[in-house]
């Protein structure tokens, strides 16, 4: 058909007739090579003859299989692209380099990261599969197995099918010719292996020979690349006419019924199909043959120096020199009448820019088993909040999903690593988002704070009640004894001690941090100074009773007030220096807890805080020693023994405070400090004032000067 049009073309090969010989390879490589050698050397060529002289054949349009092809038309093997090894080979179809890469791109497009691969064991299959495997690796696709067989290898085919059956991949890339695909289909049918999504190549995806009554059960929904259909004007009518004239001679009786008189009764049922030509367009390689024939014609035209009016030169020796990417994506679908169609669902054009090469209409695809689309992965996707951990000894597509560690997140699917949250952020429960860390401090709303506030207020209230009681009974001997002014000053300082604990509760600020520690240090020194003054008064009072002693004039009320003021001013000076040099300040502590921030008051200067505590401790120890010495002095109401006991409690509380303060984390550090303040304040209040209050309220008969001096009188008698 194509040569006929060339001969009619006046400007192409004028006055030159083009002849041809056609051989059938019968599906055998041996026949293919025999036919090729016959074309090049002639049928009578013997083994001892030499290849010289001018061959009658100037071009060979080869068959469809790459392994046996010499030149042109449907040989797609990328191995033939080497111009050094195959200088006289040309083709009018895209190389498998593009098709093999397109297969990998399609697999990735549908998210299939775990596939099986099977190919024909020849140059076509091996080279094509090698390109696919390399591209798949580049695209992050894992191949569970890659197996191959040839059409004559029955036992090997059975092993291939066993591997497919045992595999977990639901998608199979089949780089096979129609012969091998037909063999594979038979074995799949024998072993009843269904549910596999086949991805095919141009060699079999549109092969009518694969359509049988059972094939759709195994190949239904298959996707693959096919040579694009091109309509060649007049070709369909030519094929139909030649077919009917050759296969059914009785159709020619219309021209000469006497010469071709035949009994056509056996063909009567077929005559209605005489004009049926719908399957002609499926001869997809016809356009490539068309291009090949015209390429040869134009090449010879050029080599013979043909001119439209002058004709072509004769007698020239022709050397085998140079003579010359689209795919259609088809889907195996079944019509309502049960017929199988190869419906186009997209295309791949390697000549276009990368982002435009692949076009696919997913909504038009019919999948294997009628599903929405098969899922073929070795491991399911790792959700946000986890990371992938490759399973030992397996491909990278096989992994476990490991939850991110505390403080780390992954906000993407299939994340390879978890990333650490910034300093003031922490991972949420799902580990997919960094959120601000919870800021923790001892607030007034917490149960622990409420309990501490309750006891602080109880202590302050009791102290005020005692002060009121003492004020009401200020003229009684028990109140007047041992300097009532110091007693009232002590009650006032104890009230401040109870109340200063409240400054430790709440959100730390710059001012609250400075206030809480300085208020605590000054009020406690004021309190201990009053107790120390009372202790000294007790000692001086008994010293004054000795004959010739006048010590009380050196430690009268004025001196007592001055001593309290002096002791307190020293602590004030320490606090001022502390606040001036390195004051306490709010600090976000992330050392104790990673998931939250402890908002606390940093001491600023450890030396300053130690000096404040050390000075309080020094006064407390001094007071304890003096009270201990005065505990045995004669008196019906010797206040020294109660002071001794109160100082013992005070020292015990603050000695145990130090290790507890150091070891307590976060807000519990503040709670320990508040507890120590409240506990030591209660110790001073109860030990120094409860015995006096009991006498005032319940034993008024003992609240007399005679009773309080009774013991001394007894001793003197």
């Amino acid at each position: 058909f194509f040569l006929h049009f060339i001969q009619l073309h006046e400007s192409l090969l004028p006055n030159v007739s083009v002849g041809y010989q056609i051989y059938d390879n019968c599906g055998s490589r041996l026949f293919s090579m025999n036919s090729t050698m016959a074309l090049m050397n002639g049928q009578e060529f013997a083994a001892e003859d030499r290849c010289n002289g001018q061959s009658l054949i100037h071009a060979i349009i080869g068959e469809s299989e790459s392994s046996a092809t010499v030149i042109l038309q449907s040989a797609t093997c990328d191995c033939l692209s080497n111009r050094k090894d195959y200088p006289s080979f040309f083709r009018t179809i895209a190389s498998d380099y593009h098709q093999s890469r397109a297969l990998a791109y399609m697999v990735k497009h549908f998210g299939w990261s775990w596939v099986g691969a099977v190919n024909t064991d020849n140059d076509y299959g091996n080279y094509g599969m090698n390109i696919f495997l390399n591209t798949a690796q580049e695209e992050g696709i894992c191949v569970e197995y890659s197996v191959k067989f040839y059409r004559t290898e029955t036992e090997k085919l059975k092993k291939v099918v066993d591997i497919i059956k045992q595999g977990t991949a639901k998608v199979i890339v089949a780089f096979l010719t129609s012969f091998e695909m037909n063999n594979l289909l038979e074995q799949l049918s024998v072993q009843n292996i269904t549910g596999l999504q086949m991805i095919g190549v141009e060699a079999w995806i549109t092969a009518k020979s694969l359509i049988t009554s059972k094939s759709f059960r195994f190949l239904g929904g298959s996707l693959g690349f096919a040579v694009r259909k091109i309509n060649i004007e007049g070709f369909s009518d030519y094929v139909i006419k030649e077919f009917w004239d050759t296969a059914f001679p009785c159709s020619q009786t219309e021209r000469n019924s006497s010469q071709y008189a035949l009994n056509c009764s056996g063909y009567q049922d077929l005559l209605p199909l005489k004009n049926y030509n719908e399957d002609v367009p499926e001869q997809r390689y016809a356009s490539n043959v068309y291009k090949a024939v015209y390429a040869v014609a134009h090449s010879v035209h050029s080599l013979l120096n043909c001119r439209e009016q002058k004709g072509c030169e004769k007698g020239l020796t022709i050397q085998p020199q140079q003579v010359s990417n689209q795919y259609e994506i088809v889907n195996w679908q079944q019509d309502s009448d049960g017929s199988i169609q190869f419906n186009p669902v997209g295309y791949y054009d390697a000549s276009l820019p990368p982002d435009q090469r692949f076009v696919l209409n997913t909504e038009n695809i019919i999948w294997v088993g009628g599903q929405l689309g098969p899922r073929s992965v070795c491991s399911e996707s790792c959700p946000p909040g986890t990371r992938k951990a490759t399973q030992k000894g397996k491909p990278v597509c096989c992994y476990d999903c490991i939850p991110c560690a505390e403080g780390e997140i992954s906000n993407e699917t299939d994340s390879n690593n978890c990333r650490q949250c910034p300093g003031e952020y922490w991972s949420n429960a799902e580990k997919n988002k960094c959120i601000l860390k919870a800021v923790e401090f001892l607030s007034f709303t917490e149960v622990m704070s409420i309990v501490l506030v309750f006891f602080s207020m109880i202590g302050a209230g009791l102290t005020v009640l005692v002060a009121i009681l003492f004020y009401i009974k200020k003229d009684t001997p028990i109140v007047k004894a041992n300097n009532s002014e110091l007693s009232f000053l002590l009650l006032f300082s104890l009230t401040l001690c109870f109340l200063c604990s409240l400054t430790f509760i709440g959100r730390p600020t710059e001012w609250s941090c400075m206030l809480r520690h300085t208020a605590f240090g000054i009020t406690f020194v004021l309190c201990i100074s009053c107790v120390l003054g009372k202790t000294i008064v007790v000692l001086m009072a008994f010293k004054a009773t000795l004959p010739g002693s006048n010590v009380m004039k050196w430690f009268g009320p004025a001196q007592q007030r001055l001593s309290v003021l002096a002791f307190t001013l020293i602590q004030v000076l320490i606090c001022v220096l502390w606040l001036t040099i390195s004051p306490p300040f709010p600090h976000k502590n992330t050392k104790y807890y990673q998931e939250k921030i402890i908002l606390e008051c940093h001491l600023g200067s450890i030396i300053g805080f130690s000096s404040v505590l050390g000075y309080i401790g020094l006064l407390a120890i001094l007071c304890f020693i003096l009270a201990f010495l005065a505990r045995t002095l004669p008196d019906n109401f010797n206040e020294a023994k109660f002071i001794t006991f109160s100082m013992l409690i005070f020292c015990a509380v603050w000695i145990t405070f130090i290790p507890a303060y150091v070891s307590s984390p976060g807000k519990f550090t503040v709670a320990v400090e508040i507890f120590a303040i409240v506990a030591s304040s209660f110790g001073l209040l109860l030990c120094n004032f409860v015995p006096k209050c009991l006498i005032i309220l319940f034993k008024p008969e003992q609240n007399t000067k005679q009773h309080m001096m009774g013991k001394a009188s007894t001793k003197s008698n």
Side-chain angles (χ1 to χ4, degrees):
F1 173 75
F2 302 133
L3 289 174
H4 174 69
F5 275 91
I6 290 174
Q7 300 290 218
L8 295 178
H9 203 301
E10 296 181 357
S11 62
L12 185 61
L13 293 176
N15 77 339
V16 174
S17 296
V18 180
Y20 61 89
Q21 290 179 337
I22 298 178
Y23 290 84
D24 188 353
N25 70 347
C26 301
S28 168
R29 279 191 288 190
L30 183 60
F31 273 95
S32 296
M33 295 306 298
N34 183 57
S35 300
T36 302
M37 297 303 295
L39 285 171
M40 290 191 296
N41 303 309
Q43 293 282 15
E44 306 300 327
F45 182 76
E48 64 273 6
D49 293 338
R50 301 184 63 184
C51 296
N52 53 24
Q54 175 68 57
S55 172
L56 293 175
I57 303 299
H58 298 305
I60 299 175
I61 298 176
E63 54 139 345
S64 60
E65 290 198 34
S66 300
S67 295
T69 296
V70 177
I71 186 170
L72 289 174
Q73 174 255 32
S74 61
T76 59
C77 181
D78 185 60
C79 59
L80 299 173
S81 298
N82 190 327
R83 305 303 299 163
K84 181 179 179 181
D85 295 338
Y86 305 100
S88 61
F89 172 81
F90 307 93
R91 54 179 152 210
T92 56
I93 189 172
S95 163
D96 278 334
Y97 173 81
H98 304 291
Q99 180 178 215
S100 299
R101 293 179 67 84
L103 286 170
Y105 298 149
M106 178 189 287
V107 169
K108 184 180 181 181
H109 175 82
F110 289 113
W112 299 324
S113 60
W114 187 244
V115 299
V118 56
N119 66 276
T120 301
D121 192 7
N122 61 8
D123 289 344
Y124 169 73
N126 291 332
Y127 277 89
M129 183 55 69
N130 185 55
I131 296 171
F132 167 76
L133 294 176
N134 290 335
T135 308
Q137 185 177 11
E138 294 172 2
E139 298 296 328
I141 301 165
C142 295
V143 179
E144 183 181 10
Y145 53 82
S146 179
V147 291
K148 56 188 176 181
F149 69 95
Y150 192 62
R151 66 194 64 165
T152 59
E153 299 173 332
T154 306
E155 292 302 317
K156 195 171 184 179
L157 171 59
K158 291 180 180 179
K159 292 181 181 178
V160 167
V161 174
D162 287 339
I163 292 173
I164 294 174
K165 186 176 182 179
Q166 295 169 9
T168 59
K170 300 299 181 183
V171 175
I172 308 296
V173 177
F175 213 108
L176 303 168
T177 67
S178 59
F179 291 97
E180 279 76 23
M181 192 64 208
N182 186 63
N183 295 344
L184 178 62
L185 180 59
E186 290 179 0
Q187 285 297 317
L188 293 176
S189 177
V190 169
Q191 299 198 32
N192 194 28
I193 302 174
T194 59
L196 297 176
Q197 177 65 51
M198 290 291 180
I199 305 298
V201 291
E202 37 74 36
W204 69 265
I205 196 65
T206 57
K208 290 280 188 178
S209 60
L210 295 176
I211 299 178
T212 64
S213 58
K214 297 181 179 180
S215 61
F216 191 79
R217 185 164 172 257
F218 304 95
L219 296 181
S222 294
L223 280 172
F225 296 97
V227 178
R228 299 193 74 173
K229 297 178 183 178
I230 297 178
N231 183 36
I232 302 173
E233 185 178 357
F235 180 67
S236 179
D237 295 336
Y238 171 82
V239 171
I240 295 299
K241 182 179 182 303
E242 288 295 318
F243 171 76
W244 281 92
D245 288 350
T246 303
F248 306 101
C250 69
S251 64
Q252 301 180 12
T253 58
E254 300 172 3
R255 294 185 296 174
N256 191 338
S257 59
S258 60
Q259 183 178 357
Y260 298 98
L262 296 171
N263 183 8
C264 295
S265 60
Y267 302 108
Q268 291 300 319
D269 294 338
L270 297 176
L271 289 177
L273 300 174
K274 183 176 179 179
N275 295 321
Y276 178 81
N277 63 354
E278 292 184 7
D279 59 343
V280 175
E282 288 299 332
Q283 305 300 318
R284 296 171 180 263
Y285 291 108
S287 62
N288 294 338
V289 178
Y290 169 78
K291 296 174 187 176
V293 172
Y294 267 84
V296 172
H298 279 282
S299 178
V300 175
H301 179 91
S302 176
L303 291 169
L304 295 178
N305 298 319
C306 295
R307 301 291 184 271
E308 189 170 348
Q309 301 297 330
K310 298 180 180 179
C312 304
E313 297 182 17
K314 303 293 180 70
L316 291 177
T317 300
I318 301 176
Q319 298 297 330
Q321 297 296 334
Q322 185 173 354
V323 180
S324 162
N325 285 330
Q326 284 187 342
Y327 293 98
E328 192 172 68
I329 303 174
V330 298
N331 180 218
W332 277 51
Q333 299 183 6
Q334 194 171 39
D335 286 345
S336 56
D337 60 358
S339 62
I340 298 175
Q341 303 294 329
F342 307 131
N343 290 339
V345 292
Y347 68 86
Y348 178 82
D349 190 344
S351 63
L352 295 176
D355 58 337
Q356 302 176 18
R357 293 175 183 173
F358 195 70
V359 176
L360 196 61
N361 300 318
T362 310
E363 62 276 6
N364 295 334
I365 298 176
I366 302 298
W367 298 103
V368 59
Q371 311 171 41
L372 294 176
R375 184 162 180 78
S376 185
V377 294
C378 181
S379 301
E380 292 297 329
S381 295
C382 290
T386 62
R387 63 175 179 85
K388 295 194 296 185
T390 304
Q391 296 176 359
K392 189 175 182 180
K394 293 187 177 181
V396 294
C397 299
C398 301
Y399 48 80
D400 295 318
C401 296
I402 307 299
C404 291
E406 294 293 333
E408 296 182 347
I409 66 159
S410 66
N411 52 9
E412 297 176 350
T413 301
D414 288 334
S415 178
N416 290 319
N417 296 292
C418 298
R419 61 182 180 86
Q420 186 73 37
C421 288
E424 294 190 4
Y425 289 82
W426 194 250
S427 56
N428 59 358
E430 293 77 20
K431 308 291 179 62
N432 59 7
K433 184 180 180 182
C434 286
I435 57 175
L436 281 170
K437 290 181 179 179
V439 178
E440 185 179 87
F441 55 89
L442 192 63
S443 65
F444 284 98
T445 57
E446 295 185 44
V447 175
M448 183 166 55
S449 299
I450 294 173
V451 172
L452 292 173
V453 169
F454 173 76
F455 281 104
S456 297
M457 298 306 295
I458 289 293
L462 288 176
T463 307
V464 171
L465 289 176
V466 171
I468 293 173
L469 179 63
F470 267 47
Y471 182 76
I472 294 172
K473 302 292 184 178
K474 63 180 183 298
D475 295 324
T476 60
I478 201 167
V479 174
K480 293 173 65 177
N482 202 2
N483 197 333
S484 60
E485 288 186 8
L486 288 181
S487 296
F488 282 109
L489 188 57
L490 176 57
L491 288 170
F492 172 72
S493 62
L494 280 175
T495 304
L496 294 180
C497 287
F498 281 116
L499 294 178
C500 81
S501 64
L502 301 180
T503 62
F504 288 81
I505 304 175
R507 188 182 187 91
T509 62
E510 185 175 352
W511 285 103
S512 68
C513 287
M514 291 189 291
L515 175 63
R516 64 174 59 171
H517 289 99
T518 53
F520 152 73
I522 293 172
T523 54
F524 260 86
V525 165
L526 177 61
C527 180
I528 300 301
S529 298
C530 293
V531 175
L532 181 61
K534 292 170 70 64
T535 306
I536 295 175
V537 168
V538 171
L539 285 173
M540 294 301 176
F542 281 96
K543 289 288 185 182
T545 60
L546 297 177
S549 177
N550 59 351
V551 293
M552 284 303 296
K553 72 175 182 178
W554 299 108
F555 202 73
Q559 287 80 8
Q560 295 170 23
R561 298 189 200 100
L562 186 62
S563 65
V564 171
L565 179 62
F567 288 138
T568 305
L569 284 177
I570 294 173
Q571 183 74 306
V572 171
L573 179 61
I574 293 173
C575 290
V576 169
L577 291 174
W578 181 16
L579 296 179
T580 303
I581 298 172
S582 181
F585 58 90
H587 171 64
K588 294 179 179 179
N589 192 335
T590 59
K591 181 176 66 174
Y592 290 116
Y593 302 103
Q594 292 182 327
E595 71 278 8
K596 57 186 175 182
I597 298 174
I598 303 300
L599 188 58
E600 61 184 11
C601 285
H602 191 277
L603 295 175
S605 172
I606 301 297
I607 296 176
F609 182 65
S610 301
S611 300
V612 169
L613 287 182
Y615 184 63
I616 295 173
L618 178 64
L619 293 181
I621 292 172
L622 179 61
C623 185
F624 173 75
I625 293 173
L626 294 178
F628 183 78
L629 294 175
R631 76 188 189 285
T632 57
L633 293 175
D635 193 355
N636 275 352
F637 188 82
N638 187 355
E639 197 173 6
K641 57 185 175 183
F642 298 111
I643 294 175
T644 303
F645 193 60
S646 68
M647 286 296 101
L648 188 62
I649 295 174
F650 184 90
C651 292
V653 168
W654 286 101
I655 289 173
T656 56
F657 159 79
I658 295 174
Y661 181 85
V662 173
S663 60
S664 298
K667 61 184 179 182
F668 297 103
T669 303
V670 180
V672 166
E673 193 166 359
I674 296 174
F675 176 80
I677 293 172
V678 174
S680 57
S681 299
F682 266 113
L684 292 172
L685 175 66
L686 297 177
C687 292
N688 284 284
F689 293 99
V690 167
K692 294 180 180 180
C693 291
L694 290 176
I695 292 174
I696 293 172
L697 294 174
F698 302 107
K699 297 180 180 180
E701 68 279 4
Q702 296 182 11
N703 190 8
T704 61
K705 186 175 181 181
Q706 291 79 6
H707 178 78
M708 295 189 67
M709 298 300 294
K711 189 173 183 180
S713 300
T714 304
K715 290 283 182 182
S716 60
N717 293 331

